[in-house]
Amino acid sequence: MGAVKTKRMPRAVREQQMLDAAVRTFGQRGYMAASMDEIAELAGVSKPLVYLYLNSKEDLFTTCIRREAHALVEAVRAGVHPELPADRQLWEGLRAFFAHTSRNPDGWSVLHLQARTHGEPFAAEVTAMREEIVSLVTRLIAVAAREAHRDPDLPDREVACLAEALVGAAESLAAWSNATPGTTARQAAATLMNFAWAGLGNLMEGRPWSAPEPSHEVSG
Amino acid sequence: MGAVKTKRMPRAVREQQMLDAAVRTFGQRGYMAASMDEIAELAGVSKPLVYLYLNSKEDLFTTCIRREAHALVEAVRAGVHPELPADRQLWEGLRAFFAHTSRNPDGWSVLHLQARTHGEPFAAEVTAMREEIVSLVTRLIAVAAREAHRDPDLPDREVACLAEALVGAAESLAAWSNATPGTTARQAAATLMNFAWAGLGNLMEGRPWSAPEPSHEVSG
């Protein structure tokens, strides 16, 4: 069995091709308008094979959300080096976040827009990912506060509150940046870093955040 | 006609009662789970009257979204006094925003969560409101930059980018604040003001934003 087929592909590889096609279609057309025909055609497989592998449009969409959520969280984690000072960690994390969302605009559209617009089960998948990112940022802010030797410590509630604000700002900016031609991931990351670290007050006076190391690339 | 009824109410008043009941039900139960029976009962009217006045569940939900969006934008506008310095304007705007969203948690849930989770026509209603708030904040940041006499001016793109970040942060924080017992509107506004104006760098060093006038109430 299978001896006649010349280009037999492992199931896992073929499944990833289907998911690539699905993320692109869901991201660009929207969940409702996306058709299984189009996804199968883009993946270069038959529609029955898509159903055989991924069950239904709902299940396919859920699998897309999980894959994209996992990839985004991993990209941010991989970008952050815990041995750096807190502001550098934040800068690296923001760069990784915006680099990933701008390289994968369809994946970001699936997570930020489509998954949240088509019912609670899909939205819940994104909520889980968001909580992971919020807790990552929360730890980072807590480390920053510790590094600054604040006494009394920044209360947990305020740290949590700041993390929510920062994550909300990043989400909003990623959507805007992908929708605004000519905006680069680096510009978005730099603007948010300045906003988050230096604050509007300093920005207005022309005092942006600057990295503590000479090799930084935040200017401009 | 109508002479027998003792408590005849103008249509507009009755309609607002239905909308109050609908916002509460949609906000607390979610759009899908909310029933027209429950809304009618809560409003103290018959279900056919709800359909007569507001047509369908979809139309009722759209009317709720529009009413809540209008109320929120008006509350923020009313809170901002254009004669004040930019940071004071931002502080007043944030206070008005969080005061409104915390006093109307069901309305905020309808706008921020329910309307964005149940299909594009509803989501589009919220997008229109969001654009109004973003343009309000954009003007405010542009004024701040002008006040600081920056030369060269902060580029339009960066102003737009900062406004998106700030609005995203506020949305995220309002949802978190309403879901976190014991958090007040004033705390949320003060934390975001500090984050946005002073930046994390200053907060870590114990240098929060402080209002330029002696009567300010941001401490703590």
Side-chain angles (χ1 to χ4, degrees), chain B residues 38-220:
Chain B
E38 192 180 356
I39 292 168
E41 199 189 320
L42 194 61
V45 299
S46 70
K47 193 161 74 165
L49 196 67
V50 180
Y51 280 105
L52 180 69
Y53 278 17
L54 293 149
N55 204 31
S56 65
K57 189 176 173 183
E58 289 73 21
D59 284 358
L60 174 58
F61 190 47
T62 303
T63 308
C64 287
I65 297 170
R66 288 187 186 155
R67 189 184 79 162
E68 294 305 310
H70 181 76
L72 176 57
V73 171
E74 285 313 302
V76 173
R77 273 193 212 289
V80 175
H81 302 289
E83 73 283 2
L84 291 175
D87 61 336
R88 279 305 296 258
Q89 283 190 53
L90 180 58
W91 169 232
E92 304 292 350
L94 289 175
R95 285 215 305 187
F97 175 80
F98 287 105
H100 186 86
T101 54
S102 76
R103 265 199 308 266
N104 303 279
D106 298 329
W108 178 245
S109 166
V110 162
L111 291 176
H112 183 65
L113 197 60
Q114 296 304 324
R116 307 214 271 199
T117 319
H118 295 98
E120 275 135 15
F122 301 134
E125 295 286 339
V126 180
T127 303
M129 170 207 73
R130 193 180 194 274
E131 279 167 7
E132 266 196 82
I133 293 194
V134 168
S135 72
L136 212 138
V137 174
T138 303
R139 278 197 299 279
L140 208 150
I141 296 177
V143 168
R146 217 168 35 242
E147 277 179 10
H149 304 293
R150 271 201 70 180
D151 188 34
D153 284 343
L154 211 54
D156 283 353
R157 181 185 295 274
E158 205 175 332
V159 171
C161 199
L162 291 167
E164 283 289 334
L166 185 50
V167 170
E171 289 172 329
S172 171
L173 214 49
W176 179 84
S177 171
N178 281 357
T180 307
T183 309
T184 66
R186 175 165 300 247
Q187 283 167 348
T191 300
L192 187 52
M193 184 66 201
N194 274 318
F195 176 64
W197 202 266
L200 289 173
N202 283 314
L203 290 191
M204 295 309 153
E205 305 288 340
R207 293 190 299 272
W209 172 79
S210 60
E213 288 178 36
S215 61
H216 75 89
E217 304 136 300
V218 191
S219 66

Side-chain angles (χ1 to χ4, degrees), chain A residues 178-191:
Chain A
N178 282 356
T180 307
T183 308
T184 66
R186 177 167 298 248
Q187 282 166 351
T191 300

Side-chain angles (χ1 to χ4, degrees), chain A residues 39-85:
Chain A
I39 291 168
E41 199 189 320
L42 193 62
V45 299
S46 70
K47 194 161 76 165
L49 196 67
V50 179
Y51 280 107
L52 181 68
Y53 278 18
L54 293 149
N55 203 32
S56 65
K57 189 177 174 184
E58 289 73 23
D59 284 359
L60 174 58
F61 190 48
T62 303
T63 308
C64 287
I65 296 170
R66 286 186 188 159
R67 190 184 78 160
E68 295 305 309
H70 181 74
L72 176 57
V73 172
E74 285 313 303
V76 173
R77 272 193 214 288
V80 176
H81 302 289
E83 73 283 3
L84 293 175

Side-chain angles (χ1 to χ4, degrees), chain A residues 93-208:
Chain A
L94 289 175
R95 285 215 304 186
F97 175 80
F98 286 105
H100 186 87
T101 54
S102 74
R103 265 200 307 266
N104 303 279
D106 298 329
W108 179 246
S109 165
V110 162
L111 291 175
H112 183 65
L113 197 61
Q114 296 303 324
R116 305 214 270 200
T117 319
H118 296 99
E120 276 136 14
F122 301 135
E125 295 286 338
V126 180
T127 303
M129 172 206 72
R130 193 180 194 274
E131 279 167 6
E132 266 196 82
I133 293 193
V134 168
S135 72
L136 212 138
V137 174
T138 303
R139 278 197 300 278
L140 208 152
I141 295 177
V143 168
R146 215 167 37 239
E147 277 178 11
H149 304 292
R150 271 200 71 180
D151 187 35
D153 286 340
L154 211 53
D156 284 352
R157 180 185 296 272
E158 206 176 331
V159 171
C161 200
L162 290 167
E164 283 289 336
L166 184 50
V167 170
E171 289 172 329
S172 172
L173 214 47
W176 179 84
S177 171
N178 282 356
T180 307
T183 308
T184 66
R186 177 167 298 248
Q187 282 166 351
T191 300
L192 187 51
M193 184 66 202
N194 274 318
F195 176 64
W197 204 267
L200 290 173
N202 283 313
L203 290 190
M204 295 310 154
E205 305 288 339
R207 291 190 301 271

